[in-house]
Amino acid sequence: MKKKMVSALLLTSMLAGMFSGCGKAEAGGGAVNEDGIKEFTAFFAVPGSEINDDNEIQQIIAEKTGCKVKETWLTGQTAEEAVGTLIAGGEYPDFIEGGNGSKQLYEAGALVALDDYIDKYPNIKEYFTEQEWDQLRQSDGHIYWIPQFSNIYGQERACTHNDEAFWIQARVLEWAGYPKVETMDEYFDLIEKYNEANPTMADGTTANIPYTILCDDWRYFCLENAPEFLDGYPNDGSCIVDPDTLKVIDYNTTDTAVKYFKKLNEEYKKGIVDPESFTQTYDEYIAKISSGRVLGMIDQWWDFAYTGEDAIKSAGLDEQGCQYVPLPITIEKGMKNQWHNSGGVLNVSSGLAITTSCKDVEGALQFVNDLLDQDIHDLRFWGVEGEDYLVGDDGLYYRTPEMRKQAADTAYKAAHTCSYSYFPQYSGTSRDGKNAMKSDGQEQEFFDGLSEPIKKCFEAYGAKTYVEMLGTSEKPGAWYPMYTYSNTLTTDTPGGTAWTKMGEIKHQYLPKVVMADDFEKGWDEYMKAYKECKPEDFISEMQTELDRRMEEAAKYE
């Protein structure tokens, strides 16, 4: 408790300094600086990397839009703790993404209702359909935030699998002759054999880490939610939905959950699972990924690709086969996997919001609108023509090897790149009908930028992209995904109370289960504690929400 209090005080002091002028003449709130640029502030309740104050593309965007935003990110706290600190102080940045604390901000009256503004900004209005905007309404009937990551413009262009998977390094697959790996048992068997034959990296001295698990704070999904995928279901996150019966199922207690954790227990005893898995921080985990030592793990692509994978490229370890590819793992052979689903996921539980401390709401929304203009979007996700990409005679954007290398360089990104990554954005196809909205969706550019080990791997498996390594499933139904509801739960309801307790028990017991000398005993102890959380209350509440979503969707058919 003392540590949390100190952390809260530090955050209060830090944010007070940043946002003390928010909405006042001297800084923030849309105040105009000496260059005639409106300045806003933003806080995102997720970890992130700050860019340099004189970032080149941010300056170009400021000149074109007349606005600039100072972005800050979560450090040393959970989203709920950071948001709680802001609420207690009563002072906010102009923009905020509260993450799991978004509901707290709404209930505290800290956010501006956007309903009366949306129609004034064509790019924002276009961003969602009427049905989607309606899905974002809170209990009072108003819209308070804009989810940033769900939108696909035109044709979908998915080359990377941005979601969760069993990842494995290309060097492991090459060593084994590119075998067909379909089950969890085959996956771990391959890693065991490779590590036995190749206990170190190419330098002969640095020991490999066969398999590591990220369990830090909310990221413990890397440990706990695999059973839903192993049974062939998509990422509903907090439960399974049977598409035939439309019934909610608890994936924590299935036979597959038992098999999965028993397998981790066996691999831990063999020394395959990293013994630091349950104590390492996110930064320590990323450092391990960046070193190229980790042969495999479960994670979401976005959680390691723009840090660990970029570091692997910068160090030249990509040419040693240290990059990762996803495998279509299920609990048994012959099962259809749903690791990758087409279409965007509208996460109604959080998004970019404008706070009541902002004195220029219209200016703030105009900036969001401008960020969705095609020329600004290109600056955000392609960069500067001639410096970050070139345009071929066919009108398609591409990069040289040197451009790709600098795009992965940490220092270059801080000085030059400004994607405004937690503001609304598009994937899919540019308004020119040719190019991808983002460089990782440009098929030829994507392929040309691959390392030779990844190209060889794709060729061996008859794939051209990470997505093709898994296959694509359609969105399973109008309810999907259920985590957008469970993310909003609080202890105000029996289901929300159960959900909170379930999370606490899983955090406490699952590491013990994996490390247990006697798995059966460890699992029984875990299940006893888990059942005392009354998970049936949570499942019941999720079922009610699923039924509601299906009824609402039927109105638009």
Side-chain angles (χ1 to χ4, degrees):
M1 180 60 73
K2 183 177 180 181
K3 183 178 180 182
K4 286 187 177 181
M5 288 178 65
V6 171
S7 184
L9 288 169
L10 286 172
L11 186 74
T12 302
S13 175
M14 179 182 72
L15 293 181
M18 291 175 182
F19 306 139
S20 59
C22 182
K24 299 175 185 177
E26 63 266 31
V32 178
N33 68 18
E34 58 187 15
D35 297 321
I37 303 297
K38 286 185 179 180
E39 294 187 337
F40 293 98
T41 53
F43 172 65
F44 307 118
V46 293
S49 300
E50 293 193 25
I51 60 176
N52 297 352
D53 289 338
D54 59 351
N55 181 280
E56 294 167 349
I57 288 181
Q58 187 178 54
Q59 290 298 112
I60 296 172
I61 292 174
E63 290 166 7
K64 287 178 173 288
T65 65
C67 292
K68 183 178 183 180
V69 178
K70 174 61 178 176
E71 302 173 293
T72 53
W73 307 83
L74 186 69
T75 54
Q77 285 191 312
T78 66
E80 294 91 338
E81 288 169 346
V83 166
T85 301
L86 285 171
I87 292 171
E91 289 274 342
Y92 304 98
D94 301 305
F95 293 102
I96 194 165
E97 155 66 275
N100 290 342
S102 294
K103 192 75 175 288
Q104 293 171 252
L105 289 164
Y106 162 65
E107 292 176 345
L111 306 179
V112 174
L114 303 177
D115 309 53
D116 293 338
Y117 296 97
I118 291 172
D119 288 344
K120 299 178 183 178
Y121 304 94
N123 290 345
I124 296 177
K125 175 69 172 176
E126 177 192 33
Y127 197 62
F128 291 124
T129 65
E130 289 299 326
Q131 180 181 0
E132 289 169 330
W133 282 119
D134 284 343
Q135 287 177 257
L136 292 167
R137 296 187 186 280
Q138 300 305 305
S139 56
D140 65 358
H142 294 295
I143 299 166
Y144 290 92
W145 50 72
I146 306 172
Q148 311 96 311
F149 309 112
S150 62
N151 222 298
I152 298 168
Y153 194 93
Q155 179 185 352
E156 185 170 8
R157 312 276 284 270
C159 297
T160 57
H161 171 64
N162 198 42
D163 305 306
E164 194 163 342
F166 275 92
W167 299 91
I168 195 166
Q169 287 187 326
R171 59 176 170 144
V172 179
L173 296 170
E174 181 178 13
W175 172 84
Y178 302 108
K180 192 173 185 178
V181 184
E182 300 176 277
T183 68
M184 177 179 63
D185 288 341
E186 291 174 341
Y187 174 84
F188 280 109
D189 183 57
L190 174 57
I191 285 178
E192 284 181 41
K193 289 177 178 176
Y194 178 87
N195 194 63
E196 183 178 0
N198 306 273
T200 67
M201 295 183 66
D203 62 11
T205 59
T206 307
N208 288 322
I209 299 173
Y211 185 86
T212 195
I213 308 171
L214 176 59
C215 299
D216 191 15
D217 194 29
W218 55 271
R219 287 183 169 92
Y220 84 118
F221 62 78
C222 298
L223 169 66
E224 65 88 26
N225 74 359
E228 64 178 330
F229 295 107
L230 289 170
D231 268 334
Y233 292 97
N235 188 21
D236 269 301
S238 52
C239 63
I240 286 171
V241 175
D242 185 315
D244 298 321
T245 64
L246 294 181
K247 296 299 180 184
V248 174
I249 300 168
D250 186 353
Y251 66 70
N252 297 289
T253 57
T254 62
D255 291 343
T256 294
V258 178
K259 292 176 184 176
Y260 165 67
F261 285 105
K262 187 172 184 179
K263 187 65 178 179
L264 290 183
N265 177 265
E266 292 170 357
E267 298 301 323
Y268 182 84
K269 290 174 180 175
K270 292 177 183 177
I272 297 300
V273 172
D274 179 6
E276 297 177 354
S277 290
F278 308 117
T279 56
Q280 65 187 344
T281 65
Y282 175 67
D283 288 344
E284 289 167 342
Y285 165 82
I286 289 299
K288 289 177 182 178
I289 298 295
S290 301
S291 73
R293 299 168 59 204
V294 178
L295 304 182
M297 73 285 181
I298 289 179
D299 201 350
Q300 298 262 353
W301 168 262
W302 50 261
D303 201 31
F304 70 89
Y306 306 108
T307 48
E309 278 258 328
D310 278 356
I312 285 170
K313 287 187 235 178
S314 294
L317 294 171
D318 53 339
E319 295 302 333
Q320 293 182 25
C322 293
Q323 286 180 288
Y324 299 92
V325 295
L327 294 176
I329 303 297
T330 51
I331 197 65
E332 294 177 359
K333 281 182 176 291
M335 296 174 65
K336 175 179 170 59
N337 85 85
Q338 291 193 70
W339 290 96
H340 188 87
N341 290 86
S342 62
V345 173
L346 180 61
N347 185 355
V348 299
S349 65
S350 66
L352 183 75
I354 296 175
T355 74
T356 52
S357 290
C358 180
K359 299 302 183 184
D360 186 5
V361 174
E362 292 191 347
L365 284 169
Q366 184 62 54
F367 179 66
V368 175
N369 188 81
D370 292 344
L371 286 180
L372 292 170
D373 282 344
Q374 191 62 59
D375 63 329
I376 304 299
H377 203 277
D378 284 353
L379 281 167
R380 293 168 68 191
F381 296 103
W382 277 98
V384 177
E385 182 182 347
E387 190 171 347
D388 299 299
Y389 70 97
L390 301 172
V391 183
D393 293 338
D394 55 5
L396 291 176
Y397 299 172
Y398 69 96
R399 286 172 169 162
T400 65
E402 293 73 25
M403 288 173 175
R404 297 184 195 112
K405 186 174 182 180
Q406 71 184 12
D409 182 75
T410 301
Y412 184 82
K413 287 189 286 188
H416 181 78
T417 302
C418 176
S419 65
Y420 281 119
S421 60
Y422 263 69
F423 280 80
Q425 57 197 257
Y426 283 112
S427 58
T429 305
S430 168
R431 289 177 174 84
D432 65 12
K434 295 180 180 181
N435 290 290
M437 281 287 190
K438 299 177 181 178
S439 59
D440 61 9
Q442 192 90 324
E443 294 82 358
Q444 191 61 51
E445 168 57 29
F446 166 80
F447 186 79
D448 290 346
L450 296 174
S451 63
E452 285 305 312
I454 294 293
K455 287 181 179 178
K456 287 171 61 179
C457 180
F458 283 170
E459 183 180 359
Y461 289 103
K464 293 181 179 179
T465 67
Y466 292 92
V467 170
E468 290 181 9
M469 289 290 292
L470 296 169
T472 300
S473 298
E474 295 298 317
K475 179 179 176 180
W479 73 81
Y480 182 77
M482 292 303 292
Y483 68 74
T484 63
Y485 179 72
S486 54
N487 282 356
T488 69
L489 291 175
T490 69
T491 53
D492 291 340
T493 66
T497 299
W499 176 237
T500 298
K501 290 180 178 178
M502 288 158 61
E504 291 170 351
I505 289 299
K506 285 195 282 186
H507 268 292
Q508 179 182 351
Y509 277 86
L510 287 178
K512 295 179 182 178
V513 167
V514 175
M515 296 186 290
D517 292 332
D518 183 339
F519 173 79
E520 302 298 336
K521 181 181 178 183
W523 183 262
D524 288 345
E525 290 175 353
Y526 163 50
M527 280 291 101
K528 181 180 178 182
Y530 181 78
K531 289 172 183 176
E532 289 175 355
C533 300
K534 295 187 176 181
E536 63 273 13
D537 289 346
F538 168 71
I539 296 298
S540 175
E541 206 160 299
M542 295 297 284
Q543 185 67 55
T544 299
E545 173 62 13
L546 186 147
D547 295 341
R548 186 198 68 79
R549 290 186 177 191
M550 298 306 293
E551 290 172 6
E552 287 296 315
K555 296 177 182 178
Y556 294 90
E557 291 179 354

